[in-house]
Amino acid sequence: METDPASAGSVRPLLVVDGANVVGSVPDGWWRDRRGAAERLRDRLVRVAEEGVPGLGGPVDVVLVVEGAARGVEPVAGVRVESAPGNGDDHIVAVAAGAAPDQECVVVTADRELRERVAAHGARSVGPRAVRGAG
């Protein structure tokens, strides 16, 4: 079996999703069922894991970070879910900082301060629209 030299030794890009920010970006009643809204987002992210987002082709490793009432959302194939033990932004920064040195990291959030914090660790950011239409 031949190995494609372009993919040999390559690492999948990491897409870290700010669950609270993405869910909160559309006033669709998410506040009545935060956990359910996070689960719907998680399910849409399965397609993102396969296809990627604009500017970042798939497949990608997806980490959905949840907090508060959304903690405890279970992972599904293609989407790792991490419940922030405290502040969600702090956990997102830790996930971005923990990316492998040769792994591209993109954070999905509209939060300007969080964008600056993850940029300090070499991650770039895209807005919630990058994943809202998925699925």
Side-chain angles (χ1 to χ4, degrees):
M1 180 166 138
E2 289 186 39
T3 303
D4 178 3
S7 65
S10 65
V11 176
R12 281 185 181 195
L14 175 63
L15 187 74
V16 184
V17 180
D18 180 350
N21 188 268
V22 172
V23 165
S25 69
V26 175
D28 61 2
W30 58 264
W31 52 88
R32 291 188 292 268
D33 181 13
R34 293 171 194 254
R35 186 183 179 111
E39 289 171 340
R40 289 187 296 278
L41 173 59
R42 174 207 56 202
D43 294 346
R44 284 195 311 272
L45 292 173
V46 171
R47 183 168 158 197
V48 171
E50 297 167 2
E51 298 176 3
V53 295
L56 184 69
V60 297
D61 289 337
V62 175
V63 177
L64 171 61
V65 176
V66 295
E67 61 185 302
R71 283 189 188 105
V73 168
E74 295 294 322
V76 295
V79 180
R80 188 170 93 216
V81 180
E82 293 195 11
S83 294
N87 179 292
D89 289 0
D90 291 345
H91 194 76
I92 291 164
V93 171
V95 172
D102 59 341
Q103 184 176 37
E104 182 176 8
C105 180
V106 176
V107 175
V108 181
T109 188
D111 181 320
R112 278 190 220 159
E113 182 182 331
L114 179 57
R115 284 174 172 240
E116 291 173 9
R117 290 177 66 194
V118 299
H121 296 282
R124 68 179 176 91
S125 299
V126 296
R129 286 186 202 166
V131 299
R132 286 297 301 181

